Amino acid sequence: MTESASVVESAPPKPPVRATEERTRAFLAALESKDLAQLENTLHPDATLTIPLAPSGDPEPFGRFEGKEQVLGYFRGVTEIMARIEFADLRVSVTADAATSFVQAKGNFTTPDDRPYPNVYVLRADWSDGKLIAVEEYANPVTFAKHFGVPIG
């Protein structure tokens, strides 16, 4: 190296798995803080959200939202029916290719009338170009049904 050459030091790029874990945690933090602008920034234009488990026990999903606006609308609805959104005992796992993250957590949520809404969650989050393109939300549908008066079976 000559005297005229300069060395530019910079932080090495984050490994893809670590970056996906951080994106996943940031997504959950935005949901907890009800930051709809951040949630919108996280979503891919072709995002989908599926709730596979139905209180009726039917094999068809309880809900399916397609496109950024519908998925954001779902998150908006969650922020409106919950006064507090808090994930506890959070575990995030990321696939080796960093394209998918899995979340396991207990939900310590509270409704606007101060009723606790405890549930358990497993989320699958698929990422494309740093954006959330697909979410599958698994939670106990019986807990949801009892809490919100939805018929079971």
Side-chain angles (χ1 to χ4, degrees), residues 12 31 33 45 57 62 64 70 78 87 99-102 108 120 122 128 135 144 147 153:
L31 190 55
S33 66
F62 185 54
R64 176 136 173 102
Q70 283 190 11
V78 170
F87 294 102
T100 302
S101 55
F102 293 91
N108 292 331
V120 293
V122 174
S128 177
V135 177
F144 176 83
H147 203 81

Side-chain angles (χ1 to χ4, degrees), residues 12-117:
K14 292 180 184 166
V17 168
R18 181 69 180 149
T20 297
E21 179 182 350
E22 288 179 4
R23 276 194 297 276
T24 301
R25 289 180 183 277
F27 158 68
L28 295 171
L31 190 55
E32 287 180 322
S33 66
K34 301 182 179 187
D35 186 342
L36 292 173
Q38 182 58 37
L39 288 169
E40 183 175 12
N41 289 336
T42 301
L43 295 174
H44 188 280
D46 299 324
T48 63
L49 186 141
T50 304
I51 303 170
L53 302 177
S56 65
D58 291 337
E60 295 301 315
F62 185 54
R64 176 136 173 102
F65 305 87
E66 297 184 6
K68 185 176 189 173
E69 290 307 312
Q70 283 190 11
V71 174
L72 186 61
Y74 170 77
F75 290 135
R76 183 177 293 110
V78 170
T79 66
E80 290 170 357
I81 67 168
M82 295 297 166
R84 183 186 74 200
I85 299 171
E86 178 184 279
F87 294 102
D89 299 330
L90 185 64
R91 291 173 38 196
V92 177
S93 304
V94 179
T95 58
D97 65 1
T100 302
S101 55
F102 293 91
V103 175
Q104 295 170 268
K106 292 180 183 173
N108 292 331
F109 297 7
T110 304
T111 60
D113 60 356
D114 285 331
R115 290 183 298 145
Y117 176 70

